Structure formats: structure tokens, C-alpha cells
Amino acid sequence: MSETIFYKALWAWMGLACAVFVMLLFVTAPYGRHGRKGWGPSISSTFGWVTMEAVSLVAMGLLFFLGDSQGDPVSWVFLIMWTVHYFQRTIVFPLRRKNPGRDMALSVVAMAAFFNVINAGTNGYYLFHLAEPYGLSWLTGPRFLVGAALFFCGMAINIHSDNILLNLRGPGKPKYSIPDKGLFRFVSSPNYLGEIMEWIGWAVATWSLAGAAFALWTIANLAPRAITHHRWYQDKFEEYPKQRRALIPYIW
Ligand code: NDP
């Protein structure tokens, strides 16, 4: 694919993210607590999560090994950052969720897998096929250092917050309760905040339009869902802390 076509396609992909953002303000993605009928046949949600996220691991790995940038250590660093995130998301997170028996619409799995294959595809294609070698000195430059710090800080917040949620479930515990540890004291969806930080960090560390497109898509998916979660908590629990925000501490 020529560079010009690649960048045109990326801009179109980013335009679609903006449209999806607006759409998700009105139509909540039907999975988890917002799952509902009318989205076609369902499959086990654990199987759905593993399948739709595995696509990202496989696509990135393939693009790396089919590319010619294995001689650049920075390519390995990007591959490792991606793989650490997606190993956690594909294998560890779905198997730790405590909602056996819950189903997920196949259409949601298909849409998420499509989103994942395009994001992994554009990032892997740019990093391992299109970009000039970054060179070792990239790893000590400000863009990589700031981006990687944001990425790993976001990952820590995301995993820690998901852990708090997963620990709310168990024998004798209600299906949903109010999380009150960690950053949940400030916002309703710190796991989403961490995820958004991660991909903004990735965009900065790779300094790429493909990275920026992925960050934009993550915001488009998760910011509307954070609003919906926040309203859901407020409707469901009268005692829900009034000072808690949806996604950004003290602000929003
Ligand atoms: P949620 O916060 O909705 O749920 C996470 C897990 O915790 C689920 O198993 C959920 O159960 C359970 N849970 C949530 N709230 C409570 C509560 N109050 N009491 C008890 N259990 C609770 O996250 P998502 O499922 O939407 O996302 C999971 C991960 O995937 C997140 O880390 C998110 O950042 C990431 N993600 C990334 C996207 C991207 O675009 N990059 C898009 C979507 C997700 P249940 O499923 O039964 O509600």
C-alpha cells in the first residue's frame, strides 16, 4: 500500500471515530451491565473477549515478523509494549472476570474484532513496514520517555481499577456494588481513564498518526460509556457519592 493511500485511509478512520463517538452518546454498546436483546445471536462473553482481543495480538505479531524492522531495537520495544497490554487484555482479564454464564452478542464481538484488526493493522503496518528505523537514541528522547511513562502509568491504573471491580464479585456479594477504593473515590470509570492514558501515551511514544488514531478511537469508545456507567450508578444507588465524577477527577 502506498504511503499516500495509507494516510488517507487513516484520516477516514479517524473521521469514523468521531462519528462513532457521537453515535455512542445515544446508543450504548450492548455488553456487560448494558447488555440487552435485539443484537442477534450470542456467545459466551469469555469466549467473545478472548476472540475479539486475540486479533490484536496476532495481527501485530504477524506484521512484526513479516516486516523488515527486526534489526531496530525500538521495534522490539513497541512490540513488547503492545504484547504486554494485549496479553493482559486477551488472556488474563477475560479469565478473571466473575460472570460465568453471561453472554455477549456475536455482532458486538464482530465489531470489536474489526476495530481491533484495523487498529493493530494500521499501527503494525506503520511501525514495522512504513516508518524509518527509530534508532536506539529514540528510547532516551523526550517523546518516548513521556509517552512510555503515560502508557505504563495508564496500564497500572487500568489493571488496578479492573482488579478492584473484579474483587467486588464473589459468593454472597451482590452482582453490582459501589466500588470505593483507589481512583474510584474520584471517578466512576478509572479503568477507562487508565486505558485512554495508555493509548495517548502510545501515540506520543511512537509519534505516529496510527497511534493517534487508536487513541482517538479509545476515547470515542470509552468516554460515552463512562458517562453511561456514571448515570447508571447514580440511578441504581441513591447513596452514590455526589462528588464523584464520570472520568476525569474533579472535572468531568
Ligand atoms: P467495566 O468497568 O464495565 O467492567 C469490568 C468488569 O468488572 C466486568 O467483569 C464487570 O462485570 C465488572 N464490574 C464492573 N462494575 C462493577 C460493579 N460495580 N460491581 C461488580 N462488578 C463490576 O469494563 P468493560 O467490560 O467495558 O471493559 C473491560 C476492560 O476493557 C477495561 O479495562 C476497558 O478499559 C477495556 N476496554 C477497552 C476498549 C478500547 O477501546 N481500548 C473498549 C472497551 C473496553 P459485567 O461485565 O457483568 O458488567
Side-chain angles (χ1 to χ4, degrees):
M1 188 194 297
S2 87
E3 213 170 318
T4 321
I5 295 179
F6 177 75
Y7 281 112
K8 279 188 180 157
L10 257 186
W11 283 112
W13 182 236
M14 290 169 85
L16 185 61
C18 297
V20 166
F21 172 78
V22 175
M23 189 195 83
L24 289 176
L25 291 173
F26 300 99
V27 183
T28 305
Y31 72 91
R33 78 191 69 174
H34 308 294
R36 54 199 183 273
K37 299 222 176 299
W39 290 78
S42 301
I43 55 170
S44 136
S45 69
T46 304
F47 182 69
W49 268 100
V50 172
T51 310
M52 69 197 190
E53 302 296 339
V55 164
S56 288
L57 264 184
V58 173
M60 194 58 127
L62 273 179
L63 283 162
F64 179 78
F65 288 108
L66 294 175
D68 51 9
S69 69
Q70 291 111 335
D72 181 7
V74 182
S75 293
W76 284 92
V77 171
F78 289 143
L79 179 71
I80 289 167
M81 286 165 74
W82 187 275
T83 305
V84 167
H85 172 90
Y86 274 104
F87 181 78
Q88 204 288 127
R89 174 68 68 245
T90 307
I91 311 288
V92 181
F93 172 75
L95 298 183
R96 292 195 58 224
R97 288 160 73 247
K98 293 174 188 158
N99 37 12
R102 171 162 258 172
D103 281 352
M104 194 176 203
L106 195 54
S107 54
V108 173
V109 175
M111 281 187 276
F114 175 73
F115 158 79
N116 283 335
V117 83
I118 301 288
N119 281 313
T122 48
N123 277 274
Y125 185 73
Y126 172 76
L127 290 173
F128 309 135
H129 294 257
L130 219 53
E132 292 296 318
Y134 281 77
L136 209 50
S137 61
W138 184 261
L139 299 180
T140 50
R143 285 172 285 192
F144 180 79
L145 291 177
V146 169
L150 251 180
F151 180 87
F152 286 111
C153 189
M155 184 183 284
I157 290 174
N158 174 263
I159 294 175
H160 181 243
S161 306
D162 274 342
N163 275 341
I164 291 172
L165 291 177
L166 298 182
N167 287 331
L168 288 177
R169 291 253 170 94
K173 294 183 184 168
K175 196 154 172 50
Y176 290 103
S177 46
I178 302 178
D180 57 4
K181 297 203 171 86
L183 287 179
F184 282 100
R185 281 170 289 166
F186 303 98
V187 291
S188 296
S189 297
N191 50 345
Y192 294 170
L193 174 65
E195 181 98 24
I196 289 170
M197 284 170 62
E198 261 185 275
W199 297 112
I200 292 177
W202 171 264
V204 175
T206 59
W207 206 249
S208 65
L209 194 65
F214 189 16
L216 186 67
W217 267 99
T218 303
I219 294 168
N221 279 327
L222 296 184
R225 198 167 177 83
I227 300 175
T228 317
H229 273 14
H230 191 60
R231 289 192 188 133
W232 180 91
Y233 276 121
Q234 288 173 329
D235 289 346
K236 190 168 175 70
F237 300 102
E238 253 177 44
E239 69 279 26
Y240 199 65
K242 297 269 179 291
Q243 79 290 353
R244 199 174 289 188
R245 298 286 183 246
L247 188 64
I248 304 173
Y250 303 110
I251 296 173
W252 180 73

